[in-house]
Amino acid sequence: MIDIVTIASAILLLVGSVFTLIGSIGIVRMPDVFTRLHAAGITDTLGAAGVLLGLALKAGFSLLLVKLLLMLVFLLLLNPAQSVGKGLKNQGLTIY
Protein backbone atom coordinates (compact mmCIF):
# COMPACT_ATOMS: atom_id res chain seq x y z
CA MET A 1 0.00 0.00 0.00
CA ILE A 2 1.28 3.44 -0.95
CA ASP A 3 1.38 5.93 1.90
CA ILE A 4 0.84 9.69 1.87
CA VAL A 5 4.55 10.52 2.12
CA THR A 6 5.34 8.57 -1.05
CA ILE A 7 2.54 10.30 -2.95
CA ALA A 8 3.61 13.76 -1.72
CA SER A 9 7.22 12.99 -2.58
CA ALA A 10 6.28 11.88 -6.10
CA ILE A 11 4.16 15.01 -6.62
CA LEU A 12 6.97 17.31 -5.47
CA LEU A 13 9.49 15.50 -7.68
CA LEU A 14 7.15 15.82 -10.65
CA VAL A 15 6.45 19.51 -9.98
CA GLY A 16 10.17 20.23 -9.63
CA SER A 17 10.92 18.40 -12.87
CA VAL A 18 8.17 20.28 -14.73
CA PHE A 19 9.44 23.66 -13.50
CA THR A 20 12.97 22.69 -14.52
CA LEU A 21 11.76 21.77 -17.99
CA ILE A 22 9.73 25.00 -18.34
CA GLY A 23 12.67 27.09 -17.15
CA SER A 24 15.12 25.44 -19.53
CA ILE A 25 12.77 26.01 -22.47
CA GLY A 26 12.44 29.63 -21.35
CA ILE A 27 16.21 30.09 -21.28
CA VAL A 28 16.42 29.06 -24.93
CA ARG A 29 13.39 31.00 -26.19
CA MET A 30 13.59 34.34 -24.33
CA PRO A 31 14.93 37.32 -26.28
CA ASP A 32 17.16 39.29 -23.87
CA VAL A 33 19.35 38.83 -20.81
CA PHE A 34 16.88 39.82 -18.12
CA THR A 35 14.06 37.59 -19.32
CA ARG A 36 16.52 34.71 -19.63
CA LEU A 37 17.57 35.38 -16.05
CA HIS A 38 13.92 35.17 -15.05
CA ALA A 39 13.66 31.76 -16.68
CA ALA A 40 16.90 30.71 -14.99
CA GLY A 41 15.48 31.83 -11.66
CA ILE A 42 12.43 29.63 -12.16
CA THR A 43 14.69 26.68 -12.86
CA ASP A 44 16.99 27.55 -10.01
CA THR A 45 14.42 28.09 -7.26
CA LEU A 46 11.18 26.28 -8.06
CA GLY A 47 12.66 23.36 -9.96
CA ALA A 48 15.47 22.56 -7.60
CA ALA A 49 13.38 23.31 -4.50
CA GLY A 50 10.66 20.91 -5.64
CA VAL A 51 13.15 18.15 -6.32
CA LEU A 52 14.99 18.71 -3.02
CA LEU A 53 11.77 18.77 -1.00
CA GLY A 54 10.59 15.60 -2.73
CA LEU A 55 13.85 13.88 -1.89
CA ALA A 56 13.69 15.19 1.69
CA LEU A 57 10.27 13.64 2.15
CA LYS A 58 11.52 10.35 0.78
CA ALA A 59 14.64 10.40 2.99
CA GLY A 60 12.70 10.35 6.28
CA PHE A 61 14.23 11.48 9.54
CA SER A 62 17.94 10.98 9.04
CA LEU A 63 21.17 12.81 8.43
CA LEU A 64 20.33 12.85 4.71
CA LEU A 65 17.26 14.99 5.51
CA VAL A 66 19.45 17.55 7.25
CA LYS A 67 21.83 17.65 4.29
CA LEU A 68 19.01 18.09 1.77
CA LEU A 69 17.43 20.90 3.79
CA LEU A 70 20.81 22.64 4.12
CA MET A 71 21.23 22.41 0.36
CA LEU A 72 17.78 23.97 -0.06
CA VAL A 73 18.58 26.83 2.34
CA PHE A 74 21.88 27.59 0.61
CA LEU A 75 20.20 27.42 -2.79
CA LEU A 76 17.52 29.90 -1.79
CA LEU A 77 19.96 32.27 -0.06
CA LEU A 78 22.64 32.24 -2.73
CA ASN A 79 20.53 32.45 -5.87
CA PRO A 80 23.02 32.97 -8.72
CA ALA A 81 20.46 34.37 -11.16
CA GLN A 82 19.69 37.25 -8.82
CA SER A 83 23.39 38.03 -8.34
CA VAL A 84 24.04 38.08 -12.09
CA GLY A 85 21.04 40.34 -12.66
CA LYS A 86 22.24 42.82 -10.05
CA GLY A 87 25.71 42.80 -11.58
CA LEU A 88 24.34 43.48 -15.07
CA LYS A 89 22.17 46.29 -13.76
CA ASN A 90 25.14 47.84 -11.93
CA GLN A 91 27.12 47.80 -15.18
CA GLY A 92 24.45 49.91 -16.84
CA LEU A 93 22.74 47.28 -19.01
CA THR A 94 19.12 48.28 -19.45
CA ILE A 95 16.12 46.32 -20.61
CA TYR A 96 15.33 48.47 -23.62
Side-chain angles (χ1 to χ4, degrees), residues 24-80:
S24 60
I25 291 170
I27 290 172
V28 173
R29 293 192 50 120
M30 295 293 173
D32 62 345
V33 173
F34 290 107
T35 54
R36 286 183 181 174
L37 280 174
H38 175 71
I42 289 173
T43 303
D44 194 21
T45 54
L46 293 176
V51 170
L52 286 174
L53 285 174
L55 290 173
L57 282 178
K58 200 66 175 163
F61 292 108
S62 64
L63 184 60
L64 181 61
L65 174 68
V66 174
K67 291 177 184 179
L68 288 168
L69 292 178
L70 278 174
M71 286 172 50
L72 180 63
V73 167
F74 285 132
L75 176 77
L76 294 177
L77 288 177
L78 304 172
N79 189 354

Side-chain angles (χ1 to χ4, degrees), residues 2 5-6 13 16 21-22 35 45 50 56 64 69 74 86 89:
I2 299 176
V5 175
T6 304
L13 287 169
L21 179 67
I22 290 170
T35 54
T45 54
L64 181 61
L69 292 178
F74 285 132
K86 284 182 182 179
K89 189 174 180 182

Side-chain angles (χ1 to χ4, degrees), residues 5-17:
V5 175
T6 304
I7 293 171
S9 174
I11 289 171
L12 282 171
L13 287 169
L14 183 67
V15 166
S17 300

